[in-house]
Amino acid sequence: MTLEDKVSQVLLAIIEEYIETARPVGSLELAEKYEMDVSSATIRNYMNYLEEEGYLLKPHISSGRIPTESAYQFYSENYDPDFEALPKSTRYRVQNFMEQWKDQGLVSDRERLLKSAAKILAEESGDLAVVEFKPNDVYYTGLAHLFEQPEFEENQIVISTGRFIDRVDEMLEQLRNLCTSDIEVFIGKENPVDRQFSVILGSYRFRNEDTERMLGLVGPLRMPYARNIALMRLMRDQLSQIA
């Protein structure tokens, strides 16, 4: 479904604000912070419309709105992230990390290299990072970062995370089949993990090798998609330089 420019602008702003704050978003704060060329009353009308169309939810009678799974789908289809979506400190950390490994001649220890890369992905994204060493052999890290996010105050999503971890070996083939040469986003029901999560997947390969392996991030629907996709692309590009 397509939305009028003004309505889509409001929806995208709500999603970005909710990703940043994890709090329901109101029309007044939206008008003030994002300097929109419409009144807060008009924004409220847009929000009512977006709620009727299934893009927003109102958790409580007097609260603002939060995005739905459909909203995140819309968001993921309407941006084109690049490395500029990353803070300079993150870009420097990833690039410097790879340079250090190459300078110290440690790149032959692929397993240690990939574990360190996964830890950086988890720390910089705040999500669970998954990296494949070889078929049916994966490493994941970042549960502590994941559980620090506000969503995990609810027992159900913690239980869902436990189920995913318990079944990660069974899901490998499904996840691998979703991998492409680009970085792809699978939101809610589109991924085999759980509809309360989003999964960002891609493949990487070392230079002069034909074998492609899986690289991924698993996090809540309220994920900073642009930043995480840019992070994944940067890490994949850095790994591809390792001979």
Side-chain angles (χ1 to χ4, degrees), residues 90-104:
T90 300
R91 279 181 275 160
Y92 175 79
R93 183 183 181 190
V94 174
Q95 292 163 347
N96 189 53
F97 156 75
M98 288 299 178
E99 288 301 321
Q100 286 181 337
W101 276 79
K102 286 187 278 190
D103 290 346
Q104 295 172 24

Side-chain angles (χ1 to χ4, degrees), residues 77-111:
E77 295 165 1
N78 285 274
Y79 60 76
D80 183 22
D82 56 27
F83 292 159
E84 295 302 318
L86 290 174
K88 288 183 179 179
S89 59
T90 300
R91 279 181 275 160
Y92 175 79
R93 183 183 181 190
V94 174
Q95 292 163 347
N96 189 53
F97 156 75
M98 288 299 178
E99 288 301 321
Q100 286 181 337
W101 276 79
K102 286 187 278 190
D103 290 346
Q104 295 172 24
L106 299 173
V107 292
S108 58
D109 190 346
R110 297 290 171 80
E111 189 166 309

Side-chain angles (χ1 to χ4, degrees), residues 6 28 49 53 73 93 136 138 143 160 183 194 222:
K6 289 289 186 183
L28 185 58
Y49 170 76
E53 293 297 318
Q73 286 282 7
R93 183 183 181 190
N136 300 316
V138 299
L143 274 174
S160 296
I183 304 299
D194 188 285
R222 188 191 58 83

Side-chain angles (χ1 to χ4, degrees), residues 189-241:
K189 62 184 178 183
E190 288 188 344
N191 73 75
V193 174
D194 188 285
R195 72 179 304 156
Q196 296 184 80
F197 293 94
S198 289
V199 177
I200 300 179
L201 286 175
S203 59
Y204 75 93
R205 64 180 177 183
F206 294 116
R207 199 172 69 200
N208 302 327
E209 285 190 11
D210 294 328
T211 303
E212 293 195 337
R213 302 172 177 89
M214 179 176 63
L215 191 68
L217 288 172
V218 180
L221 293 176
R222 188 191 58 83
M223 177 190 279
Y225 294 95
R227 191 182 74 203
N228 282 358
I229 291 172
L231 176 63
M232 286 273 288
R233 284 180 176 163
L234 178 59
M235 184 63 77
R236 180 193 61 187
D237 290 352
Q238 292 293 309
L239 289 172
S240 72
Q241 298 174 28

Side-chain angles (χ1 to χ4, degrees), residues 139-151:
Y139 171 77
Y140 57 85
T141 184
L143 274 174
H145 303 299
L146 200 62
F147 287 154
E148 287 174 354
Q149 299 195 42
E151 287 83 352

